[in-house]
Amino acid sequence: MAFAIIIAILLIWTFFSRPAQKTVVPEPVVQDTVVEAVEFSEQEPTPVTEDSIVIDRRHVRLVLSSYGGSVASLYLKDYDVDIVPPGRHLFTSMLKDSLSNILQLSHTVNDDSVVFYDDEKKLVKTYRFDQDYGFSLRVSTDAQGHTMSLKAGLNITEPKNVGDDLRNFNVYIKNEEVQTVTKKIKDSFTYSGDLDWFALRTKYFILAVNNTSGVEKVSFYKIPGEIEQVETRNASFGCYYMGGAKDRFGAEIVSGTDLDMSVLLLPMDREQLSKYNKNYEEIASGGFWGPISRVIMAVLNFIYSLIGNYGFAIMIFGLLVKLVFFPLSRQMIMSQHKMQMVQPELKKIQQKYKNEPQRLNQEMMHLYKTYKVNPFSGCLPLLIQMPIFFALFRTLTTSIEFRHAHFIFWITDLSLKDPYYVLPISMGIMMVVQSLTTTVDPRQRLMVIFMPIIMVWIFINLPSGLQLYWFTYNIFTLIEHFITKRGGLK
């Protein structure tokens, strides 16, 4: 009954929390090397012409635009990701007296920099390419009220799993400590205190803007999901949509006459983030389960370094977990077996003392003591393993190492669900086989069928890496039951 109520609540909640489907019109895409007129949304006025400058570095490729001296493309080569939304611009400069008409700037290209300026030299904007994963930016102006816009927000980098990507979009600021300000952005939120850096995040990447000097305030804006080009129900829990954030976020930087900053586009790799000594790694801390997740990821990376395949690394990790917890699991199996053995005597006691609750408890405890049965011993192994399972869930669903990680055959990305549902269905079959071989009470037959169906429903749209782990774990559990049943490894 408890399971039935829980499932009913989940079904009702997920049904009513499913978002309304929206018809989305694709936006024009900016070509890197072509100088052309580009159409923009109402957030950005339409320029007459636009000159583009392509900067090709070791790790990043930038396309700078004369349209407000902006960034039309910021491409991270190692991960095949462009963080600028198609047809949009980031770091677009506007002056207070010309906010309705973004400046068309001239430019000069030097060996290690690009300088944008207006005809009257009221604004000079210099991009310097002295960062491996970004650039430094300096703005000088005689005019008051310089604003630099990132209101276009960051691009969705996981088009095959848009909903999951959107759920991880967040905004962070660093003053004395790193803070998440996402929940403060109802429609907008302005921060005007001391600022070391702020960052916009997708699921796997962060755009960090470091304030060297000159930032007076930063306003953050919520951007409704107007650029979603596939259904967000790809981020579902089981067969139903998992509720959660589905908005992107943009920003505007307000500065005085001079502004110095550096910009970095970085993967959500804690080790790489920590090298900058800016506390970026706190964004990838993993929350409550973070310490366990980091240990799990270290083990998986070590196995991967030996065999070169994260899919097989997950399977070997499942075997290691099963071996480590085998003594506890064996105790649980033996406890279940003993409980099944005393069931006839227990039923007699329950029938005999059904009207005497106190005497019933005494006789039950005496029965357990006589046969050396602990009715709660079967729960202990599960409770001990739960933190590892939750940490593993977080590791397999958020670690960038599994992005585009190939396993075998049809599973070409361990961060996405199994496209043919082979793993979750096989997992359910293994659970049925396991339950049928260990259950002797006929009254539990319904649960034997019911629980695997529920588990398949839960896992069916989760990342294939997690599906693979649970499928592997079930195989080893079945082997473990046969070994224990035959009295092996005493």
Side-chain angles (χ1 to χ4, degrees), residues 202-307:
T202 70
K203 180 179 181 180
Y204 292 121
F205 304 95
I206 66 167
L207 183 70
V209 180
N210 300 280
N211 174 31
T212 304
S213 65
V215 174
E216 295 181 351
K217 64 180 180 179
V218 181
S219 296
F220 301 101
Y221 300 89
K222 181 181 291 186
I223 307 171
E226 84 282 358
I227 69 166
E228 301 163 42
Q229 298 181 12
V230 298
E231 293 183 359
T232 56
R233 62 175 290 145
N234 284 337
S236 56
F237 179 84
C239 295
Y240 289 82
Y241 176 79
M242 180 188 290
K246 50 185 179 293
D247 300 306
R248 298 183 305 113
F249 300 93
E252 272 189 342
I253 303 168
V254 177
S255 65
T257 55
D258 293 309
L259 173 66
D260 276 297
M261 61 173 56
S262 64
V263 178
L264 296 169
L265 174 58
L266 300 170
M268 286 287 292
D269 183 326
R270 184 179 174 85
E271 183 177 348
Q272 184 170 342
L273 294 175
S274 63
K275 293 179 181 178
Y276 290 88
N277 296 318
K278 286 280 193 176
N279 298 113
Y280 296 146
E281 66 274 10
E282 292 188 26
I283 297 177
S285 65
F288 182 80
W289 305 109
I292 304 176
S293 296
R294 289 193 285 276
V295 173
I296 292 173
M297 198 64 240
V299 175
L300 288 170
N301 282 333
F302 173 74
I303 300 173
Y304 175 79
S305 68
L306 300 177
I307 62 177

Side-chain angles (χ1 to χ4, degrees), residues 49-116:
T49 60
E50 177 185 357
D51 294 332
S52 296
I53 306 100
V54 178
I55 306 297
D56 204 346
R57 311 288 291 180
R58 179 182 176 185
H59 296 290
V60 297
R61 185 177 74 243
L62 292 92
V63 178
L64 303 180
S65 169
S66 60
Y67 175 67
S70 59
V71 177
S73 173
L74 180 51
Y75 179 78
L76 192 57
K77 293 182 177 180
D78 298 341
Y79 296 92
D80 189 24
V81 162
D82 191 345
I83 209 66
V84 182
R88 302 295 182 86
H89 295 69
L90 299 179
F91 302 98
T92 308
S93 285
M94 299 175 287
L95 297 179
K96 186 176 181 180
D97 57 357
S98 60
L99 292 181
S100 61
N101 183 21
I102 294 177
L103 298 172
Q104 294 293 322
L105 302 177
S106 302
H107 68 272
T108 59
V109 180
N110 303 313
D111 291 338
D112 62 346
S113 63
V114 174
V115 180
F116 291 97

Side-chain angles (χ1 to χ4, degrees), residues 328 331-332 335-336 339 364-365 368 372-384:
L328 288 174
Q331 178 184 348
M332 180 180 69
S335 176
Q336 291 173 344
M339 284 296 295
M364 287 173 61
M365 295 306 297
Y368 292 148
K372 297 181 180 180
V373 175
N374 183 352
F376 302 105
S377 61
C379 301
L380 181 61
L382 292 177
L383 292 176
I384 294 176

Side-chain angles (χ1 to χ4, degrees), residues 428-458:
I429 294 172
M430 289 300 301
M431 291 183 67
V432 172
V433 173
Q434 174 189 326
S435 299
L436 289 175
T437 57
T438 58
T439 303
V440 297
D441 190 347
R443 294 175 302 176
Q444 298 181 13
R445 295 295 180 180
L446 178 61
M447 188 61 68
V448 167
I449 304 300
F450 184 68
M451 283 306 299
I453 292 175
I454 296 303
M455 292 301 292
V456 170
W457 177 81
I458 291 174

